[in-house]
Amino acid sequence: MTVIRSLMPYRAGTALGTLPDIVETGEAYTAAGGYHGAGSPDRLLDHIADAGLRGRGGAAFPVAVKLRTVRDGGARPVVVANGEEGEPGSVKDRWLLRARPHLVLDGLDRAAEITGATRAYVYVSDPYAAARVRQAIAAWPPRTPTEVVETGHTYVAGEETAVVRRINGGPALPTAKPPRPYQRGVGDRPTLISNVETLARIALIATSPERRHEIAGSTLLTLSSSDGGALLSEAPYGTSLRTLATVQGTTRATGALMGGLFGGLIGPESLDLTLDGTELAAAGTALGCGAIRFLGPGSCPVATAADAVGHLRTESARQCGVCVSGTAAIADTLRQLTTGTAAPDAEERLLRWSSGLPGRGACGLLDAAAGAAGSLLRVFPALVRTHLGAVCTDCATAPPSGGHRLVVPVPPVMDHPAQQAQAFPEPGSERVSPSSPR
């Protein structure tokens, strides 16, 4: 089970809010200041720019720049809340839609006002989240006409061109670029596609502009480990990975799989890095969607890489031949390393693929597979060589699962009014549903 443990106070003005395992009603949201404040859309845009808010979907692009680009696109735009969380180790977006739908809808409405959009969509694959959002829309209709569009849950369904394609009535599969959605997207109109946490933080800044730097300076994280413990957390940028590992429960971490499946592997020497995009990029990794899987003493990085690429192999859209063959080749070679059956040139082939395959697919799936292999070779080269012609005890104990071990469940969210009055524990403590075993 996934629990919630914040590194910040549980209060209004944070993404987790005050009662993160209770569905927030429209009345409770407005009572805390939601749907109010910020003044004009231009004033809110200035606050967002001043705060330095960046997107939380993975690319960390400056939000104000994206809003202005869509606003100035020359036609009435469309705005989309992207809640299709394809990374198996991430739960923050589905939790937001389940627990705080009004916060997301408020941010979406404000993004529509800033850009001049006349239509909005919430794009999601989680049926429970979709139901919560529809209930919220019915109870508190947004100023901008808003529709929920559901899709199947796949790794590539949340890619921006796949989002556009699905909303336009096609399959949730990536298309060639350009054009990008901000140029021509839903209905051939300029389209803002924004991660739901990004929109939530826009709403928080609108409600509490005086705290805009604090709001932009923290982020939701999904932390998990090979030991099975998982938690949803909110932490300020600048927090060290080692601190996060301790909070998650991996006190003797030997490395981590960063950014969902996109940030690659890091070793123990990198755990003193902090949640800082520039610092992480300089170390050859990334925070991505905020999903971090820590490796414990009994975890083999080779098996973790095999899990990651095995998952990507099954999730390929199978539109690009190079992606189908490339992910399969990497996955097979990594699996052979875990069983001690890899050919002597396995390391050489992985190195060639990791440098030659990125950028050749229609989306980032092939890049993620190549990056996982490349980071394994870069960070754990000696370990890879010990897997040539020998069976690894740790890999034998936990053979590659095709990515099933990487999946993290969404924390339970309740809607019982009686729970609304419960006091919340101090920061750093667990929040567990009373109906769930500890």
Side-chain angles (χ1 to χ4, degrees), residues 77-82 104-113 115-123 133 137 142-149 167 186 189 191-192 199:
V78 172
V79 292
V80 179
N82 187 0
V104 176
L105 289 170
D106 191 8
L108 183 64
D109 225 11
R110 294 179 191 274
E113 292 180 340
T115 60
T118 57
R119 191 73 187 170
Y121 296 88
V122 179
Y123 178 81
V133 173
I137 291 172
R143 294 179 292 275
T144 307
T146 301
E147 178 183 346
V148 177
V149 175
I167 294 175
V186 176
R189 293 158 67 180
T191 300
L192 174 81
L199 295 169

Side-chain angles (χ1 to χ4, degrees), residues 76-168:
R76 281 290 188 181
V78 172
V79 292
V80 179
N82 187 0
E84 167 37 31
E85 203 164 28
E87 295 281 4
S90 182
V91 299
K92 67 183 180 68
D93 296 331
R94 283 168 290 167
W95 173 83
L96 275 168
L97 292 169
R98 291 182 181 195
R100 306 200 69 187
H102 290 282
L103 178 65
V104 176
L105 289 170
D106 191 8
L108 183 64
D109 225 11
R110 294 179 191 274
E113 292 180 340
I114 290 171
T115 60
T118 57
R119 191 73 187 170
Y121 296 88
V122 179
Y123 178 81
V124 63
S125 64
D126 176 21
Y128 188 86
R132 288 295 185 194
V133 173
R134 287 191 175 102
Q135 290 169 4
I137 291 172
W140 212 276
R143 294 179 292 275
T144 307
T146 301
E147 178 183 346
V148 177
V149 175
E150 293 188 65
T151 188
H153 180 64
T154 66
Y155 186 81
V156 301
E159 195 271 342
E160 60 176 8
T161 61
V163 174
V164 168
R165 196 173 179 184
R166 175 68 186 92
I167 294 175
N168 280 338

Side-chain angles (χ1 to χ4, degrees), residues 265 300-302 305 333-334 337-338 342 346-348 350 373-390:
L265 290 160
C300 182
V302 176
T333 302
L334 290 173
L337 283 172
T338 66
E347 184 180 7
E348 177 186 339
L350 287 172
S375 65
L376 176 67
L377 297 174
R378 183 177 65 254
V379 179
F380 300 101
L383 183 64
V384 171
R385 290 169 196 140
T386 64
H387 283 66
L388 294 171

Side-chain angles (χ1 to χ4, degrees), residues 183-258:
Q183 299 167 313
R184 190 168 74 246
V186 176
D188 288 332
R189 293 158 67 180
T191 300
L192 174 81
I193 298 178
S194 190
N195 172 262
V196 296
E197 185 190 348
T198 308
L199 295 169
R201 293 194 181 276
I202 288 176
L204 291 172
I205 289 173
T207 302
S208 304
E210 73 283 357
R211 295 181 51 227
R212 58 188 177 273
H213 292 98
E214 177 185 344
I215 292 166
S218 59
T219 193
L220 290 175
L221 303 164
T222 309
L223 308 176
S224 60
S225 75
S226 54
D227 296 331
L231 61 87
L232 173 65
S233 186
E234 187 168 10
Y237 288 124
T239 304
S240 75
L241 300 180
R242 196 176 301 280
T243 297
L244 296 175
T246 300
V247 170
Q248 185 274 327
T250 307
T251 55
R252 293 188 296 148
T254 58
L257 178 64
M258 294 288 296

